Structures are given as C-alpha cells and as structure tokens.
Amino acid sequence: MAERTTASSPLAVLGAHLGARGLEVKLTARGLVVANPQVAMDTITCRARADDFGNVWFWTSWNRPIAPADRIAEATQAVIGYLVGR
C-alpha cells in the first residue's frame, strides 16, 4: 500500500531537503515531483520494498529504489546525483 503524502510524510521531508538545495519540488497525491529545470524531472514515491523485509523506501518513477525512507540525507544525495548529474 502506498503511503499518503502529508506534510509529515518522508516524502515531505525529502522535498524540504531537495528544495533547500535548489531543486523544484511539489508534493502531490501521486508522489513528490522533483525537477532540475536544466536537466530532468522525476516523481518519487514512498512504499514498502519486498526484498528488504517490507521496509519503506523512496522509489523513482521508473521503479528503481533510491534509499530507505528513514535515510533522508542518503536519498537527497542520490536524487541530486541523478537529477544534477554529479
């Protein structure tokens, strides 16, 4: 089951971290839309990962895991890495 996107959700926290680093973010019912206007955009979701005992992870729109939802700094760096190209 997908997690609701509320202001206290891991997606909202990740959005705040990414926004503070200059990426455009918008929390929607479908997930966290993140954009680097010069390069790319992605919609990040937050859901359980079966091969990690059901722990909640952040996921890209192409269904690739980013990082566990409790590792905001790691997820922030991963998203910046693939949207900024570093």
Side-chain angles (χ1 to χ4, degrees), residues 38-71:
Q38 294 83 26
V39 181
M41 180 176 74
D42 191 12
T43 300
I44 299 168
T45 58
C46 192
R47 65 179 190 277
R49 183 172 180 178
D51 64 351
D52 188 27
F53 307 102
N55 290 315
V56 178
W57 278 60
F58 295 112
W59 296 81
T60 65
S61 60
W62 57 93
N63 205 33
R64 293 197 178 176
I66 298 170
D70 62 351
R71 295 188 183 165

